[in-house]
Amino acid sequence: MYSKRIAVDLAKDVFQLAECDHSGKVVSRKRLNRTAFYKLLTQLIEPTEIIFETCGTAHYWGRVIQRLGHKATLLHARHVSPFRRGSKTDRNDCDAILNASRSIDIKPIPVKTELQQHIQHLHCMRELWKQNRLQRINLLRGIFREQGFDCPLGRAAFLKIAPVIADEPVMQLIAILINQLLAEIHQCTTLLDDCEKTIATLLSDNTVISRIDEVSGIGLLSASALVTAVGTPERFKNGRALSAWLGMTPKEYSSGNSRKLGSISRAGNTYVRTLLIHCARSALQSAKRCASRTPEKLTHLQQWAIQLSDRIGYNKATVALANKLVRICWSVWKHERRFDGNFIPTSKIQTAG
């Protein structure tokens, strides 16, 4: 039990604080700058629980607070806002944070380590450079097609023929700028490769990433994005809870005896969910290739995915498979075991028996 509880509304330069007693009543308020806030943290003698919303600097301050021997409690801003009363002010934000922290239904967010944040930064940079490359490729396609040139599908095929088209007489007036665009595309590709190599180097000895990387369709990028976004598997009681957190479970519309399940909720981390759906698409394509070439090697998971695709369609089956892959990743992570496409849970074996 911590002797003090302090709610902090973080900002760039101004920090609003509200300290409460055991009954939850606010006993003091302060408004400090960055230097004064850090000085206050170092002067706290008794173990203190510091509570704040997640924001750009929340995990940094969380690590600082933990190093000083106190407890850092991070709450998602989406869960804090319903507790705010009155206008949007720093004072009311602190009161809302205190009220939200007393709700047993709101689970705090684990403080990320520096490595976890570095991995997320690399993913953000990679996504930015990928979008920049795509924008430039689409611009070149539009320019070439307006001049009557036929552009092949696929990035590799297009970039192979693009320099040839740029040298055509009709393109002479803008050839220099076209070549500049091609150079930028090449630079973005180089930066993308450097990002992936850096991620692989930083996580080369990470056993959790290695286990999740073995799951069908899951690669290094998806595994690293999932692990850094989640933090620890103990945050979720089972794989379905993790899948719901990522927005892969159906929305529910229920009233009385009427219960209706709709499309997936698409809540949570959009980037991680997108990667995992791409992984499921790759796994489904691989299963279909295996079925056509060596059907005797199909695993139970692949057979289930193919049968589901035949029954409900390719796209719906892809999302359903992504949902299952998330649950498998949680199980592999939580129980520290290797992935097995033929694995059958003990509960299903007992039911069948």
Side-chain angles (χ1 to χ4, degrees):
M1 184 67 182
Y2 292 88
S3 57
K4 291 183 180 180
R5 300 178 78 242
I6 301 176
V8 182
D9 183 42
L10 296 174
K12 295 178 181 177
D13 302 312
V14 179
F15 299 79
Q16 180 76 35
L17 282 70
E19 180 182 344
C20 69
D21 56 18
H22 294 291
S23 65
K25 180 181 179 181
V26 176
V27 295
S28 68
R29 299 182 187 273
K30 294 180 181 179
R31 191 174 178 86
L32 308 173
N33 59 25
R34 186 184 182 93
T35 304
F37 176 60
Y38 181 77
K39 184 177 180 180
L40 173 69
L41 293 177
T42 58
Q43 292 176 346
L44 291 174
I45 300 175
E46 300 176 342
T48 305
E49 181 182 9
I50 313 294
I51 314 164
F52 39 84
E53 293 176 295
T54 53
C55 62
T57 60
H59 292 281
Y60 163 75
W61 285 113
R63 292 192 294 269
V64 171
I65 291 167
Q66 289 176 342
R67 284 198 296 267
L68 294 173
H70 306 294
K71 179 183 179 181
T73 301
L74 278 67
L75 303 178
H76 199 289
R78 182 175 63 248
H79 297 152
V80 174
S81 58
F83 290 87
R84 186 186 302 114
R85 291 173 294 178
S87 303
K88 173 72 171 66
T89 64
D90 293 346
R91 180 189 178 102
N92 289 341
D93 284 346
C94 283
D95 293 343
I97 292 171
L98 285 175
N99 292 331
S101 66
R102 289 193 289 269
S103 176
I104 60 174
D105 296 329
I106 298 178
K107 305 299 181 183
I109 298 173
V111 177
K112 294 188 184 299
T113 64
E114 291 181 357
L115 176 60
Q116 288 175 327
Q117 284 202 296
H118 286 327
I119 298 299
Q120 285 192 323
H121 297 158
L122 288 169
H123 276 278
C124 289
M125 289 186 283
R126 180 184 178 278
E127 189 67 12
L128 175 64
W129 287 321
K130 187 182 74 173
Q131 292 176 359
N132 287 342
R133 183 179 67 179
L134 180 61
Q135 290 174 348
R136 283 153 178 76
I137 290 175
N138 289 341
L139 174 61
L140 281 180
R141 284 184 184 275
I143 292 173
F144 291 160
R145 283 172 177 166
E146 287 183 2
Q147 295 299 327
F149 296 101
D150 183 24
C151 300
L153 297 178
R155 175 171 52 86
F158 172 72
L159 293 179
K160 185 177 180 180
I161 199 174
V164 178
I165 298 177
D167 291 336
E168 292 290 335
V170 72
M171 306 298 297
Q172 285 183 356
L173 294 178
I174 59 172
I176 295 177
L177 296 179
I178 292 294
N179 289 325
Q180 180 63 37
L181 271 177
L182 289 171
E184 291 178 1
I185 292 172
H186 176 71
Q187 183 183 20
C188 287
T189 301
T190 303
L191 292 171
L192 282 170
D193 294 339
D194 291 342
C195 255
E196 294 176 8
K197 290 177 182 178
T198 304
I199 293 174
T201 301
L202 292 175
L203 300 175
S204 58
D205 57 348
N206 192 306
T207 56
V208 173
I209 299 294
S210 299
R211 289 196 191 100
I212 296 178
D213 193 10
E214 295 176 353
V215 178
S216 295
I218 305 292
L220 174 64
L221 289 175
S222 302
S224 60
L226 176 64
V227 171
T228 53
V230 173
T232 58
E234 287 77 18
R235 287 181 62 188
F236 306 97
K237 63 179 182 180
N238 51 38
R240 189 188 187 283
L242 173 57
S243 184
W245 182 76
L246 286 171
M248 289 188 181
T249 53
K251 287 183 180 179
E252 184 173 350
Y253 303 87
S254 301
S255 178
N257 293 327
S258 175
R259 183 169 182 259
K260 180 181 178 182
L261 298 179
S263 61
I264 60 172
S265 65
R266 291 182 289 182
N269 194 312
T270 303
Y271 175 70
V272 177
R273 182 174 65 254
T274 302
L275 286 179
L276 291 169
I277 290 176
H278 287 324
C279 291
R281 185 174 289 109
S282 174
L284 184 54
Q285 291 175 349
S286 177
K288 290 191 173 184
R289 284 196 300 268
C290 183
S292 63
R293 298 173 185 176
T294 53
E296 69 279 359
K297 294 183 179 180
L298 282 174
T299 63
H300 293 321
L301 178 63
Q302 290 176 323
Q303 292 174 4
W304 174 84
I306 293 173
Q307 293 170 1
L308 187 66
S309 177
D310 295 338
R311 189 172 75 250
I312 66 175
Y314 182 82
N315 289 330
K316 289 184 179 180
T318 297
V319 177
L321 179 58
N323 185 2
K324 185 174 285 290
L325 290 180
V326 171
R327 302 185 187 204
I328 292 173
C329 288
W330 180 87
S331 181
V332 167
W333 187 2
K334 170 68 175 178
H335 302 293
E336 299 181 354
R337 56 176 175 238
R338 301 283 296 274
F339 167 71
D340 181 8
N342 293 312
F343 176 78
I344 300 177
T346 305
S347 58
K348 290 188 177 180
I349 296 176
Q350 292 175 349
T351 304

